[in-house]
């Protein structure tokens, strides 16, 4: 069976898709399966000129917005690149971004399309202050879900929480399939270690939606309480300068290390003790599963797909978003009690191994893909 995984970002781009799809390709290397990857290179911008028409809404009603104009131009670019580069015949296309899915279906209307929605672009834009909730950009972006429902042969997402979110914008929510991201167990090897000072780590894009301002305030509170720690922030983004300034203002810059973007953080994540990310929105939160497979104690917020991974008090701790004192309390529990920290990390590792292994997800996908093989249609 010939499969195409249609991405938007290159495979090395940070995020849940890049944590799974390139490694998933290895699991499909056999005489029965042939899988290719396709994406829009960063250098391809402003090439597309094709008229864009959606069947379920008129996008030109929102066309005065620069955000909408950029989205439409990117869609045109993806169409242009697909027509230029795609010649191989596939039995099934699995798209991992709305633009990828809509473009593929327009170019190849007779090939079955499986569409996975990995995150909410509109929620992140709202939380990052780029668009207004209820504004024209927000209304445009949520309209895309209904268009995808019409065009895709199967609509999927990565958590029950995000399926409930999408249900508000489509006609038949019961048809949404939930398959979480999977992670290659071979990439994550817990390493026995004994840090005299607890090492906190977060791996994320540095944007307001990730709540790192709350984390820094919580860490300042820990310092005020006399607790020792080191905070490692792995990732980059537009908020980095503001976060470094905040760390200096709070008096914790010496306890905080900003690494910038790192391609393979899983290689040294096992040497830390506690993973913490107080996100304000998270469709799934792949990095929590990665940290769990590295056998770290988990601390996160009770929003989106995070509570589906963390059972509070069993394999991690959950707090409310935007509550730095509650986050400080949770971090103090795992910093001050190494035995409790070990219990949480061990339970997190066991759950991630059983529920988020790439082997399990690959098997689920294979069963689903086979429903669309050409022989099955006859």
């Amino acid at each position: 069976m010939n499969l195409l995984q249609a991405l938007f970002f290159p495979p090395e781009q940070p995020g849940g898709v890049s944590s799974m799809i390139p490694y998933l390709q290895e699991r499909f290397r056999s005489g029965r399966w042939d899988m290719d990857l396709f994406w829009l290179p960063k250098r391809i911008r402003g090439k597309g000129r094709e008229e864009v028409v959606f069947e379920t809404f008129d996008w030109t009603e929102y066309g005065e917005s620069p955000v909408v104009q950029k989205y439409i131009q990117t869609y045109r670019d993806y169409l242009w690149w697909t027509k230029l580069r795609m010649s191989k015949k596939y039995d099934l296309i699995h798209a991992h971004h709305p633009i990828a899915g809509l473009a593929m279906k327009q170019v190849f209307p007779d090939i079955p399309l499986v569409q996975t929605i990995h995150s909410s672009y509109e929620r992140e834009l709202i939380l990052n202050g780029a668009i207004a909730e209820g504004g024209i950009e927000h209304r445009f972006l949520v309209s895309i879900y209904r268009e995808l429902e019409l065009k895709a042969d199967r609509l999927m997402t990565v958590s029950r929480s995000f399926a409930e979110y999408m249900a508000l914008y489509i006609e038949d929510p019961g048809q949404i399939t939930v398959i979480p991201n999977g992670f290659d167990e071979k990439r994550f090897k817990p390493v026995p270690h004994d840090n005299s000072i607890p090492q906190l780590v977060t791996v994320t894009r540095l944007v307001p939606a990730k709540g790192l301002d709350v984390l820094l305030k919580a860490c300042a509170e820990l310092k005020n309480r006399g607790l020792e720690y080191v905070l490692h922030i792995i990732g980059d983004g537009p908020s980095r300068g503001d976060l470094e300034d905040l760390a200096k203002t709070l008096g914790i810059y010496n306890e905080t290390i900003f690494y910038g973007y790192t391609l393979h953080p899983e290689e040294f994540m096992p040497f830390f003790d506690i993973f913490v990310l107080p996100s304000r929105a998270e469709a799934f939160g792949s990095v929590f599963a990665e940290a769990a497979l590295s056998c770290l104690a988990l601390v996160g917020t009770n929003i989106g797909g995070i509570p589906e991974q963390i059972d509070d008090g069993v394999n991690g701790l959950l707090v409310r978003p935007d509550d730095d004192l509650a986050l400080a309390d949770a971090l103090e529990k795992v910093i001050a009690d190494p035995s409790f920290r070990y219990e949480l990390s061990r339970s997190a590792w066991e759950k991630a191994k059983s529920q988020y292994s790439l082997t399990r997800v690959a098997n689920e996908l294979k069963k689903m893909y086979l429903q669309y093989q050409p022989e099955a249609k006859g």
Side-chain angles (χ1 to χ4, degrees):
M1 190 174 185
N2 293 326
L3 305 172
L4 178 69
Q5 300 289 342
L7 316 177
F8 179 73
F9 298 108
E12 68 272 11
Q13 182 81 13
V17 177
S18 296
S19 298
M20 179 176 72
I21 301 304
Y23 304 96
L24 186 68
Q25 189 180 28
E26 298 174 5
R27 304 300 176 97
F28 279 78
R29 283 185 177 144
S30 71
R32 187 177 190 182
W33 303 96
D34 183 18
M35 178 185 288
D36 293 331
L37 308 185
F38 184 87
W39 63 89
L40 183 69
K42 292 182 178 180
R43 69 180 185 276
I44 306 299
R45 295 294 183 267
K47 299 289 188 180
R49 296 290 183 268
E50 190 165 339
E51 182 181 1
V52 173
V53 177
F54 297 128
E55 294 187 35
T56 58
F57 72 105
D58 181 4
W59 75 266
T60 62
E61 295 179 5
Y62 314 102
E64 65 187 76
S65 163
V67 172
V68 174
Q69 292 170 14
K70 182 178 179 181
Y71 195 98
I72 293 297
Q73 183 56 51
T74 305
Y75 179 36
R76 290 187 178 117
D77 292 341
Y78 205 106
L79 281 170
W80 180 85
W81 185 244
T82 300
K83 292 179 178 180
L84 181 68
R85 301 292 295 179
M86 288 277 292
S87 57
K88 185 175 176 179
K89 175 69 174 177
Y90 292 97
D91 299 313
L92 176 69
I93 297 172
H94 187 170
H96 297 272
H97 188 280
I99 285 176
L102 292 173
M104 288 293 170
K105 199 61 177 179
Q106 182 169 329
V107 178
F108 305 106
D110 297 327
I111 299 178
L113 172 68
V114 173
Q115 176 72 54
T116 295
I117 308 295
H118 288 267
S119 63
S120 167
Y121 183 45
E122 64 277 2
R123 292 306 306 167
E124 182 166 323
L125 287 177
I126 290 169
L127 290 168
N128 292 341
I131 66 173
E133 186 160 12
I136 58 174
E137 298 91 352
H138 186 198
R139 298 198 304 275
F140 165 78
L141 290 167
V142 297
S143 296
I144 295 291
Y145 294 120
R146 175 69 187 102
E147 186 74 10
L148 288 169
E149 181 186 27
L150 176 68
K151 298 294 178 62
D153 295 86
R154 184 183 295 258
L155 196 59
M156 296 173 51
T157 191
V158 291
S159 68
R160 296 187 302 275
S161 171
F162 199 72
E164 293 171 0
Y165 172 82
M166 287 173 55
L168 301 173
Y169 305 109
I170 64 175
E171 291 189 356
D172 190 1
Q175 296 302 310
I176 300 175
T177 299
V178 176
I179 297 182
N181 288 335
F183 305 89
D184 187 359
E185 308 92 311
K186 294 178 292 185
R187 294 168 51 217
F188 303 92
K189 296 180 174 61
V191 176
H193 60 279
D194 184 16
N195 295 317
S196 58
I197 297 176
Q199 306 292 303
L200 315 182
V201 63
T202 191
V203 182
T204 188
R205 187 162 181 259
L206 306 190
V207 294
K210 299 302 183 179
L212 295 187
D213 56 319
V214 180
L215 175 57
L216 292 177
K217 292 174 184 176
C219 285
E221 176 63 21
L222 292 175
K223 185 175 181 179
N224 290 338
R225 296 177 187 181
L227 294 164
E228 290 189 296
Y229 66 89
V230 178
L231 172 62
H232 305 261
I233 299 178
I234 301 174
D236 214 336
S239 295
R240 178 169 177 173
D242 291 339
L243 291 170
E244 290 185 340
D245 289 342
L246 180 59
K248 293 173 184 176
T249 300
L250 293 170
I252 59 168
Y253 192 73
N254 290 336
E255 290 81 11
T256 307
I257 303 173
F258 289 86
Y259 288 77
Y261 171 65
T262 302
L263 186 58
H264 292 293
E266 72 274 7
E267 294 178 358
F268 49 92
M269 193 184 290
F271 294 96
F272 301 115
D273 301 301
I274 301 159
F275 178 83
V276 53
L277 181 60
S279 295
R280 294 179 168 109
E282 206 74 64
F284 178 68
S286 294
V287 71
F288 283 96
E290 294 178 328
L293 288 168
S294 300
C295 210
L296 303 189
L298 308 177
V299 179
T301 41
N302 58 355
I303 52 91
I306 298 174
E308 295 176 34
Q309 298 186 61
I310 297 179
D311 303 309
D312 189 33
V314 177
N315 66 336
L317 296 177
L318 293 170
V319 299
R320 296 180 302 274
D322 288 301
D323 191 335
D324 54 287
L325 291 180
L327 181 59
D329 290 341
L331 289 171
E332 182 175 2
K333 289 179 183 178
V334 289
I335 288 174
D337 190 341
S339 296
F340 180 50
R341 186 166 74 230
Y342 175 77
E343 290 175 9
L344 293 180
S345 63
R346 188 71 186 182
S347 296
W349 180 79
E350 290 173 351
K351 179 174 181 176
K353 287 277 285 186
S354 65
Q355 297 192 20
Y356 305 122
S357 75
L358 191 62
T359 299
R360 175 179 174 178
V361 170
N363 289 336
E364 287 190 50
L365 289 173
K366 286 177 180 179
K367 291 177 186 177
M368 186 263 291
Y369 291 159
L370 286 172
Q371 298 174 25
Y372 299 95
Q373 63 180 333
E375 298 81 4
K377 297 177 182 178

